[in-house]
DNA sequence: GTAGCCTTGATT
DNA sequence: AATCAAGGCTAC
């Protein structure tokens, strides 16, 4: 008997043959290239990606990529970046609208087989290389996804899932890209006639850059240090054992330093001396966080924060979590990642700052002066963008990214109230 | 949280 | 009845 049992047990081939007959080969998972176990949410996919998609939708997850928004999704690496995996799920065409219960009609099955086979034969990698524009939400035309699960008309092309859920689309504008684009066009058209203005603008440009260099001197040194750490020439400064209270104390000190030096800096910006001192304080107060972000922008590298606080403490993501909580930290990191992707020059940032500051809306004592200053910087910045050959897309993106700071600033203020 | 396996119920 | 995917369960 034992022999027989052993023999029958050792003959899984029969079983698997039976199973193999009933099991349709779905090829590779269209999300991660693992073995697909069936059509899940409209896409041939593995159990892992099926579950991941379900969990993501159920919990209305808001993922963030810390590695440049183009992570490769493979069976081994798929757990590393939820954002890119989620993006891949959508790119593959997963959606709840695509759900279909029950038996698959024979013709559809054949069609699916044909498509999956031909897809796994020729490398489909280029599909995933499509530059992932996380801003696709409001510009469905250009970079939005075009999921094509299967060709042909027998299997309907699945609709894209509404969209990635990022942080809520901000409604408040920090800068007005429309106004800006108009000025951009005027500068382009009237370039020869604006020579005199150009002189003014180039003076603005030089002075602002000079001030910006002073303003960011401390962080420029930290940037060099960060690069050394990244190249493993210097040990990391991370201290994971600091308490929230200690980290908070550091943060408060840094903020205090920032506020003081910002005031000195802003006062020297060309044109800002014409602004009423009370208004200047209002402007600074309303923009203190956005200004800090632009000041230390360079220190956000590859999804990590390399700012160094007092006592040589790197205020990295983990330390930020402790201080700010996950949501705010993610928002900040996300904002900087997006802004970083624009690769703005120091010249651009040095003109962007006064432009943003003078774009502030509030009940000012003397709003006219601010408006005048704002006009000058708008043209100077447009000029600078022209030199850098920036596209209107760039300007729209910049405006959009900057608007993320509104929510961040609000949350930063709330932090101060609840934690001090 | 992830993913392999199992149950349930819809569809042919 | 057979076949399929969604969702539940649960060991990692």
């Amino acid at each position: 008997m034992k022999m027989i049992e052993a023999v029958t047990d050792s003959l899984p081939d029969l079983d698997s043959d039976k199973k193999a007959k009933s099991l349709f080969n779905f090829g590779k998972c269209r999300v991660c290239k693992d073995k697909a176990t069936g059509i899940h949410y409209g896409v041939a996919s593995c159990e892992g990606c099926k579950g991941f998609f379900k969990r993501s939708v159920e919990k209305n997850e808001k993922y963030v990529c810390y590695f440049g928004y183009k992570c490769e999704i493979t069976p081994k690496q798929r757990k590393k970046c939820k954002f890119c995996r989620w993006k891949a799920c959508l790119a593959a065409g997963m959606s709840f609208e695509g759900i279909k219960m029950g038996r698959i009609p024979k013709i559809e099955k054949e069609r699916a087989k044909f498509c999956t086979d031909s897809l796994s034969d020729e490398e489909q990698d280029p599909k995933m290389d499509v530059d992932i524009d996380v801003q696709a939400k409001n510009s469905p035309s250009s970079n939005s996804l075009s999921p094509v699960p299967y060709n042909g008309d027998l299997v309907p092309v699945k609709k894209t899932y509404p969209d990635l859920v990022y942080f809520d689309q901000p409604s408040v504008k920090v800068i007005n890209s429309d106004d800006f684009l108009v000025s951009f066009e005027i500068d382009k058209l009237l370039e020869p006639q604006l020579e005199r203005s150009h002189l003014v603008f180039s003076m603005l440009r030089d002075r602002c850059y000079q001030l910006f260099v002073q303003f960011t001197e401390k962080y420029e040194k930290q940037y060099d240090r960060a690069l050394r750490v990244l190249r493993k020439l210097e040990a990391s400064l991370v201290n994971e054992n600091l308490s929230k209270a200690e980290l908070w104390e550091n943060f408060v000190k840094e903020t205090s330093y920032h506020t003081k030096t910002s005031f000195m800096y802003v006062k020297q910006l060309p044109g800002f001396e014409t602004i009423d001192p009370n208004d200047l304080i209002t402007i600074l107060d309303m923009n203190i966080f956005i200004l800090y972000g632009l000041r230390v922008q360079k220190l956000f590298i590859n999804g990590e924060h390399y700012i160094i606080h007092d006592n040589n403490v790197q205020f990295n993501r983990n330390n930020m979590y402790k201080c700010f909580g996950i949501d705010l930290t993610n928002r900040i990191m996300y904002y900087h990642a997006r802004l970083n992707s624009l690769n703005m020059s120091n010249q651009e940032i040095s003109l962007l700052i006064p432009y943003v500051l003078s774009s502030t809306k509030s009940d000012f004592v003397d709003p006219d002066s601010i408006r005048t200053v704002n006009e000058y910087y708008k043209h100077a910045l447009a000029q600078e963008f022209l030199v850098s050959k920036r596209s209107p897309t760039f300007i729209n993106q910049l405006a959009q990214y900057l608007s993320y700071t509104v929510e961040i600033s609000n949350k930063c203020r709330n932090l101060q109230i609840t934690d001090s």
Side-chain angles (χ1 to χ4, degrees), chain A residues 209 212-213 216-227 230 291-308 335-337 339-341 343-347 349:
Chain A
Y209 179 65
F212 181 74
V213 168
T216 55
E217 198 184 354
K218 173 181 168 183
Y219 303 106
E220 193 65 33
K221 281 177 190 159
Q222 295 191 3
Y223 178 69
D224 292 340
R225 197 163 175 182
L227 290 186
L230 280 168
L291 181 57
Y292 187 69
L294 289 170
R295 193 178 186 180
V296 302
Q297 169 64 20
K298 248 184 144 175
L299 292 170
F300 285 81
I301 308 167
N302 292 339
E304 187 52 284
H305 193 7
Y306 286 85
I307 190 121
I308 297 161
Y335 161 66
H336 281 283
L339 203 59
N340 246 336
S341 72
N343 281 319
M344 293 182 76
S345 67
N346 282 347
Q347 276 85 0
I349 296 180

Side-chain angles (χ1 to χ4, degrees), chain A residues 216-365:
Chain A
T216 55
E217 198 184 354
K218 173 181 168 183
Y219 303 106
E220 193 65 33
K221 281 177 190 159
Q222 295 191 3
Y223 178 69
D224 292 340
R225 197 163 175 182
L227 290 186
R228 284 204 300 280
V229 170
L230 280 168
R231 289 174 192 141
K232 308 241 156 102
L233 298 173
E234 192 172 316
S236 168
L237 300 159
V238 182
N239 186 342
E240 301 288 355
N241 300 318
L242 286 168
S243 68
K244 185 186 170 183
E246 288 169 301
L247 291 168
W248 185 257
E249 196 185 324
N250 273 336
F251 172 69
V252 170
K253 274 188 199 167
E254 175 76 7
T255 309
S256 155
Y257 165 83
H258 168 63
T259 309
K260 275 183 214 159
T261 48
S262 293
F263 193 63
M264 307 289 288
Y265 162 75
V266 170
K267 270 202 299 195
Q268 296 179 75
L269 287 169
F272 278 63
E273 72 279 353
T274 65
I275 297 175
D276 186 280
N278 288 316
D279 291 343
L280 205 55
I281 290 173
T282 308
I283 289 175
L284 198 60
D285 184 53
M286 290 178 73
N287 292 285
I288 201 69
F289 295 108
I290 183 172
L291 181 57
Y292 187 69
L294 289 170
R295 193 178 186 180
V296 302
Q297 169 64 20
K298 248 184 144 175
L299 292 170
F300 285 81
I301 308 167
N302 292 339
E304 187 52 284
H305 193 7
Y306 286 85
I307 190 121
I308 297 161
H309 281 175
D310 280 2
N311 314 322
N312 263 347
V313 176
Q314 182 187 345
F315 200 55
N316 67 342
R317 183 143 31 97
N318 277 341
N319 284 337
M320 284 175 86
Y321 280 156
K322 282 195 211 167
C323 261
F324 299 160
I326 286 189
D327 179 63
L328 180 55
T329 303
N330 279 346
R331 282 172 190 273
I332 292 171
M333 299 306 272
Y334 179 71
Y335 161 66
H336 281 283
R338 298 320 297 151
L339 203 59
N340 246 336
S341 72
L342 296 178
N343 281 319
M344 293 182 76
S345 67
N346 282 347
Q347 276 85 0
E348 285 170 325
I349 296 180
S350 64
L351 286 169
L352 177 66
I353 292 176
Y355 175 66
V356 166
L357 293 178
S358 58
S359 300
T360 311
K361 300 278 176 282
S362 181
D363 287 329
F364 290 122
V365 180

Side-chain angles (χ1 to χ4, degrees), chain A residues 349-405:
Chain A
I349 296 180
S350 64
L351 286 169
L352 177 66
I353 292 176
Y355 175 66
V356 166
L357 293 178
S358 58
S359 300
T360 311
K361 300 278 176 282
S362 181
D363 287 329
F364 290 122
V365 180
D366 177 14
D368 290 342
S369 306
I370 300 172
R371 210 168 298 131
T372 309
V373 170
N374 184 243
E375 280 297 311
Y376 269 96
Y377 279 107
K378 186 163 78 185
H379 286 283
L381 191 52
Q383 199 61 43
E384 188 64 32
F385 287 154
L386 212 57
V387 170
S388 315
K389 296 196 166 53
R390 295 298 195 178
S391 65
T393 312
F394 163 86
I395 292 171
N396 282 324
Q397 285 178 331
L398 175 63
Q400 192 172 1
Y401 301 160
L402 285 176
S403 56
Y404 289 127
T405 60

Side-chain angles (χ1 to χ4, degrees), chain A residues 151-254:
Chain A
N151 307 322
D153 37 6
L154 288 172
V155 178
V157 171
K158 302 295 185 288
K159 278 190 207 166
T160 350
Y161 193 69
D163 195 22
L164 282 180
V165 189
Y166 306 98
F167 299 117
D168 301 333
Q169 200 59 229
S171 52
V172 186
K173 288 176 176 175
V174 170
I175 65 171
N176 189 341
S177 59
D178 293 338
D179 278 3
F180 205 81
L181 287 168
V182 170
S183 131
F184 200 48
E185 289 305 312
I186 289 173
D187 276 11
K188 228 190 249 178
L189 294 171
L190 305 181
E191 208 168 340
Q193 289 98 315
L194 284 174
E195 238 170 73
R196 244 192 86 196
S197 321
H198 282 177
L199 198 66
V200 176
F201 294 148
S202 74
M203 281 166 63
L204 267 188
R205 178 182 195 266
D206 290 347
R207 180 67 182 140
C208 285
Y209 179 65
Q210 194 188 348
L211 286 169
F212 181 74
V213 168
Q214 285 174 23
F215 188 50
T216 55
E217 198 184 354
K218 173 181 168 183
Y219 303 106
E220 193 65 33
K221 281 177 190 159
Q222 295 191 3
Y223 178 69
D224 292 340
R225 197 163 175 182
L227 290 186
R228 284 204 300 280
V229 170
L230 280 168
R231 289 174 192 141
K232 308 241 156 102
L233 298 173
E234 192 172 316
S236 168
L237 300 159
V238 182
N239 186 342
E240 301 288 355
N241 300 318
L242 286 168
S243 68
K244 185 186 170 183
E246 288 169 301
L247 291 168
W248 185 257
E249 196 185 324
N250 273 336
F251 172 69
V252 170
K253 274 188 199 167
E254 175 76 7

Side-chain angles (χ1 to χ4, degrees), chain A residues 25-222:
Chain A
N25 178 19
F26 291 94
K28 292 180 185 173
C29 169
R30 304 269 276 114
V31 177
C32 73
K33 305 181 183 68
D34 200 353
K35 190 187 186 321
T37 61
I39 307 293
H40 305 297
Y41 306 103
V43 172
S45 46
C46 65
E47 287 294 314
C49 293
K50 165 189 143 188
F52 175 78
F53 183 79
K54 183 174 184 290
R55 285 193 300 275
S56 300
V57 175
E58 273 176 352
K59 296 186 188 172
N60 191 18
E61 291 283 5
K62 299 175 182 186
Y63 301 132
V64 172
C65 174
Y66 299 110
F67 311 100
Y69 298 92
K70 47 187 174 191
C71 305
E72 201 187 347
I73 304 301
T74 63
K76 279 200 168 183
Q77 289 186 292
R78 66 190 177 201
K79 276 193 261 193
K80 282 192 181 163
C81 178
K82 291 188 187 180
F83 181 98
C84 291
R85 188 182 191 182
W86 173 243
K87 195 79 190 175
C89 286
L90 298 182
M94 276 189 167
S95 80
F96 274 78
E97 289 110 83
I99 293 178
K100 205 168 164 191
M101 300 295 289
R103 216 178 137 145
I104 296 177
K106 221 175 185 174
I107 311 171
E108 249 176 75
K109 217 163 138 184
E110 287 306 313
R111 164 71 61 143
K113 181 172 161 49
F114 173 78
C115 290
T116 43
D117 285 351
S118 57
L119 270 168
S120 49
D121 283 345
E122 55 180 58
E123 281 303 308
Q124 67 208 62
D125 283 3
K127 263 184 82 74
M128 303 314 297
D129 271 342
V130 176
D131 183 50
I132 283 158
D133 183 355
V134 290
Q135 303 315 324
K137 187 169 190 168
N138 276 354
S139 56
S141 51
S142 57
N143 279 325
S144 67
L145 303 163
S146 52
V148 187
Y150 307 120
N151 307 322
D153 37 6
L154 288 172
V155 178
V157 171
K158 302 295 185 288
K159 278 190 207 166
T160 350
Y161 193 69
D163 195 22
L164 282 180
V165 189
Y166 306 98
F167 299 117
D168 301 333
Q169 200 59 229
S171 52
V172 186
K173 288 176 176 175
V174 170
I175 65 171
N176 189 341
S177 59
D178 293 338
D179 278 3
F180 205 81
L181 287 168
V182 170
S183 131
F184 200 48
E185 289 305 312
I186 289 173
D187 276 11
K188 228 190 249 178
L189 294 171
L190 305 181
E191 208 168 340
Q193 289 98 315
L194 284 174
E195 238 170 73
R196 244 192 86 196
S197 321
H198 282 177
L199 198 66
V200 176
F201 294 148
S202 74
M203 281 166 63
L204 267 188
R205 178 182 195 266
D206 290 347
R207 180 67 182 140
C208 285
Y209 179 65
Q210 194 188 348
L211 286 169
F212 181 74
V213 168
Q214 285 174 23
F215 188 50
T216 55
E217 198 184 354
K218 173 181 168 183
Y219 303 106
E220 193 65 33
K221 281 177 190 159
Q222 295 191 3

